[in-house]
Amino acid sequence: MITLSPASERAVDRAGLQAIAAKVLASERLSFDDGLTLLESSELAAVGALANLARERRHGDLTWFNRNLHINATNVCEASCIFCSFARLKTGDPAAYTMSLEEAVGRLRALRHQFVTEVHIVNGLNPDLPFSYYTDLLQALKAERPDLHIKGFTAVEIHYYAEKYSMTYADVLTALRDAGLGSMPGGGAEIFAARARKKLCNDKVDTEGWLQVHRTAHQLGMRSNCTMLYGSIERPAERIDHMVRLRELQDETGGFQTFIPLKFHNEGNRLAKIQEPTDADSLKTLAVSRLMLDNIGHIKAYWPMLGVQLAQLSLGFGVDDLDGTVREERIYHMAGAKTPQELTRAELVALIRRAGRIPVERDTLYRVVAEA
Ligand code: SF4
């Protein structure tokens, strides 16, 4: 049985977290108040030790990654999220782009001699494209690389297409799936609490819509991920509220694979005056996520946002997945992320090993490709 070390027990005692620790040791669900107590605790070591226990109980030392490629087919977007450094552009603006199908396929073709298992597609809400652009895009990518799993289109995009093209969520998802979509990423969740969401992203899908898109995808048999943008204007209780709402949907559908807390970056957007979250805050948020989301298999540290070293450190704070090689990440680099555009497989393997963990290459659906 996995237990706390004597040093961790002392940290738990110092923090006054004995009751919560007892629940974690007994695999009991934590309440909203427990989550808030953990998030507001100043004993990072105690919170981290509890999260590490939950992580090792599920995964031991195994740490997951994949080899993937990002394609952002258009950065034209008619929404106006104030934290966004990627889009909010109109067609014709100097920095605006929309890839032709040939360009998008060319990204894959350039990798034809390399082993990749996933392409990740996220786009702006482009008012100038027909729905067929997206189905043609998927079909063209699949024709080029039938072996690749396409994870694409956030709930924000699915909701936008449903409204714009007068379709139901199920219609949109079914059409995209028939064209080659395999699963959905978790983006666009931001923060569910109405107070913060109204300030951050008033003109895109609301919380109920975001959850309903994922519920629909799960009912159609698709898996998806879920995220939370943390460190901007939300309050601690709003982070916990966000986790609880995801946990409730997961109780209902079981369709989420991974939770990915996304660190707020302040360059190139309208929140430049807000300090970015500290490393301690990031580690605690990841740890609390592991403890609160007892029904979601994986907690991912998205290294392009978090930084490579902090992502590595997070493997002792509840995290069991480091995303992947991530070629051509644009969204967070435009927000000031200083991380590399890509990590090689060897670099990922080495940084997992240096953290004392066992790297496992996975596909999108967490099937083992190779133990490294
Ligand atoms: S976060 Fe997404 S929806 Fe919001 S402005 Fe940026 S690209 Fe558009």
Side-chain angles (χ1 to χ4, degrees), residues 238-253:
E238 291 169 341
R239 289 190 205 178
I240 302 300
D241 166 73
H242 191 96
M243 294 177 201
V244 169
R245 292 198 209 201
L246 290 172
R247 189 168 76 179
E248 286 169 358
L249 180 55
Q250 182 73 342
D251 277 342
E252 190 186 318
T253 67

Side-chain angles (χ1 to χ4, degrees), residues 268-344:
N269 56 41
R270 286 178 270 163
L271 291 175
K273 290 200 182 117
I274 296 185
Q275 289 283 317
E276 294 183 1
T278 63
D279 289 354
D281 188 15
S282 290
L283 290 173
K284 200 159 34 159
T285 300
L286 288 158
V288 174
S289 307
R290 177 62 288 161
L291 291 164
M292 289 299 289
L293 295 172
D294 53 15
N295 54 2
I296 296 184
H298 300 275
I299 303 294
K300 181 188 289 187
Y302 186 56
W303 62 260
M305 291 186 94
L306 210 52
V308 174
Q309 283 171 353
L310 191 58
Q312 184 185 35
L313 192 58
S314 75
L315 299 180
F317 287 79
V319 168
D320 62 275
D321 188 305
L322 284 188
D323 201 273
T325 45
V326 189
R327 283 158 188 273
E328 303 208 25
E329 201 291 317
R330 284 183 194 236
I331 293 177
Y332 302 112
H333 285 87
M334 290 175 79
K338 302 290 186 290
T339 44
Q341 285 278 348
E342 150 184 20
L343 287 178
T344 64

Side-chain angles (χ1 to χ4, degrees), residues 157-196:
E157 292 164 82
I158 303 297
H159 172 83
Y160 178 76
Y161 304 152
E163 287 209 322
K164 184 171 172 57
Y165 309 112
S166 303
M167 299 163 79
T168 64
Y169 293 158
D171 290 341
V172 174
L173 286 163
T174 304
L176 295 175
R177 187 180 62 182
D178 290 349
L181 184 67
S183 63
M184 280 179 63
E190 321 311 358
I191 276 284
F192 291 147
R195 182 203 69 84

Side-chain angles (χ1 to χ4, degrees), residues 192-203:
F192 291 147
R195 182 203 69 84
R197 194 170 190 85
K198 195 162 170 230
K199 289 185 186 163
L200 289 169
C201 51
N202 198 28
D203 56 358

Side-chain angles (χ1 to χ4, degrees), residues 77 79-81 83-84 86-88 124-125 156 204:
C77 186
S80 54
C81 309
F83 56 83
C84 181
F86 168 71
R88 295 186 272 106
L125 308 179
V156 176
K204 71 181 182 192

